[in-house]
Amino acid sequence: MRLLINLALLLVLVSCSPGIGEETIEPAEEKAAKAGENPFPLIPDFSLSRDNLARFAADNADPGTAEAIMVRPAEFLLLMREILKEPEDLFLIADKKHALPEDYTPEDLVALTEFPLTLNRKDLSLRERIMPDLLAMDQAARNEGLKLVYSSSYRSYDYQKQVYQRHVNQMGQEAADRISARPGTSQHQLGTTVDFGSITDAFAETPEGRWLKKNAWRFGFSLSYPEGYEDLTGYAWESWHYRYIGRPAARMTELFFEGIQHNFLYFLDAHRSFFQERRLP
């Protein structure tokens, strides 16, 4: 009888357990408490009180972000601590208002042909520092029977000039500016951006497109141009275009900026020094 009861309990536990890839975001404090550990301190490693942080958030973030920060203040600062350890060039803004120098070229570019990836072209390259997380993401997709196809990656200033001019020739400058960056303003020049699959809207409805939308942030990748945000980002929706910003920053973007990379990058650019100055030695 006891054996039957134990088997029944085991079946209930298995049926209630989340499947692979179904992890939900929850505050680090809650995770620690559930695990029977001491929860993280409210304000780790920063000379800030909760009231200080609340005033800062209210004065410097949109209402949704400010509210999210005060719901999870410890996790916000834990993530900020990790983000401040990253090199600043990981968060460079490259958009219609901020151009990279013509000669900007990452020093650690590596050819993607050196790795077990599915490539649409043989001349693709990315920064070496992002490859561990990229390979982890690729393997996670393979584990679920999916195949990520890499269609575009690093582009030099001169190459982006050709890409942009081709679009202008095909559809006119006004239409081209909605879907193609002028040279110097493309995230691809950073060497941390990948276009996946068909590079068309149809990619969003493929298994790989749906998987990336749900899981890319777990590996440090963030969708740059989400649907419905053209007025903010300057570009039409691109379901295939992901930029690597690192795992802490991608998690922060999901938790505190509703997944909008643009808002996170501008917030960090404006307030990095505020948090750096308040880090405890």
Side-chain angles (χ1 to χ4, degrees):
M1 178 61 70
R2 179 172 293 179
L3 177 60
L4 291 175
I5 291 173
N6 289 339
L7 287 173
L9 287 172
L10 179 60
L11 288 173
V12 169
L13 289 172
V14 170
S15 66
C16 293
S17 299
I20 295 174
E22 295 178 6
E23 176 193 353
T24 57
I25 299 176
E26 62 178 323
E29 304 96 310
E30 291 182 15
K31 283 188 176 182
K34 288 178 182 178
E37 303 167 359
N38 292 326
F40 289 113
L42 179 62
I43 308 297
D45 300 343
F46 289 90
S47 58
L48 281 167
S49 70
R50 186 186 179 97
D51 288 344
N52 292 153
L53 185 59
R55 285 194 292 272
F56 168 82
D59 292 341
N60 296 285
D62 65 60
T65 294
E67 181 180 0
I69 289 173
M70 295 321 300
V71 169
R72 303 176 171 196
E75 184 149 19
F76 174 80
L77 289 172
L78 283 166
L79 290 172
M80 183 60 73
R81 178 184 67 185
E82 297 307 307
I83 289 167
L84 293 177
K85 295 177 183 177
E86 300 279 13
E88 292 190 23
D89 66 353
L90 192 62
F91 308 110
L92 283 175
I93 297 176
D95 61 14
K96 291 182 176 181
K97 297 179 181 178
H98 301 82
L100 299 169
E102 185 172 346
D103 61 353
Y104 179 87
T105 305
E107 296 180 354
D108 61 339
L109 290 172
V110 291
L112 296 192
T113 51
E114 298 179 12
F115 303 92
L117 303 171
T118 302
L119 309 179
N120 261 345
R121 293 165 40 186
K122 300 300 183 183
D123 60 346
L124 302 180
S125 59
L126 288 169
R127 292 190 61 183
E128 186 175 19
R129 64 155 288 121
I130 83 169
M131 294 309 299
D133 281 338
L134 181 74
L135 292 171
M137 183 169 73
D138 190 86
Q139 186 59 54
R142 290 176 186 268
N143 291 345
E144 297 192 33
L146 304 175
K147 180 170 68 174
L148 300 180
V149 177
Y150 300 78
S151 299
S152 186
S153 54
Y154 166 73
R155 299 176 190 167
S156 68
Y157 181 98
D158 288 338
Y159 183 73
Q160 184 62 29
K161 183 187 297 186
Q162 298 172 31
V163 171
Y164 176 74
Q165 190 59 51
R166 182 169 68 246
H167 283 105
V168 170
N169 294 342
Q170 291 173 348
M171 61 184 67
Q173 185 166 312
E174 183 176 352
D177 282 337
R178 295 185 61 230
I179 67 166
S180 182
R182 299 187 183 208
T185 67
S186 171
Q187 288 189 345
H188 284 284
Q189 192 176 344
L190 296 168
T192 53
T193 300
V194 179
D195 287 343
F196 292 95
S198 60
I199 316 187
T200 67
D201 289 346
F203 178 73
E205 297 306 320
T206 65
E208 288 77 10
R210 290 193 293 268
W211 188 89
L212 282 170
K213 183 178 180 181
K214 180 180 179 181
N215 295 287
W217 69 268
R218 304 176 193 277
F219 302 92
F221 288 84
S222 171
L223 184 70
S224 296
Y225 310 123
E227 189 172 14
Y229 285 87
E230 183 174 352
D231 288 345
L232 179 69
T233 66
Y235 295 103
W237 174 45
E238 293 189 357
S239 63
W240 59 87
H241 180 114
Y242 285 82
R243 173 180 174 176
Y244 182 82
I245 55 176
R247 295 195 188 207
R251 183 178 178 88
M252 178 176 279
T253 300
E254 290 295 311
L255 285 175
F256 300 99
F257 296 88
E258 299 181 330
I260 307 303
Q261 178 196 120
H262 177 97
N263 287 343
F264 162 73
L265 289 174
Y266 270 78
F267 177 88
L268 182 64
D269 184 66
H271 304 299
R272 172 189 288 272
S273 60
F274 174 87
F275 292 100
Q276 285 176 326
E277 290 166 5
R278 285 157 181 80
R279 280 292 308 278
L280 296 174

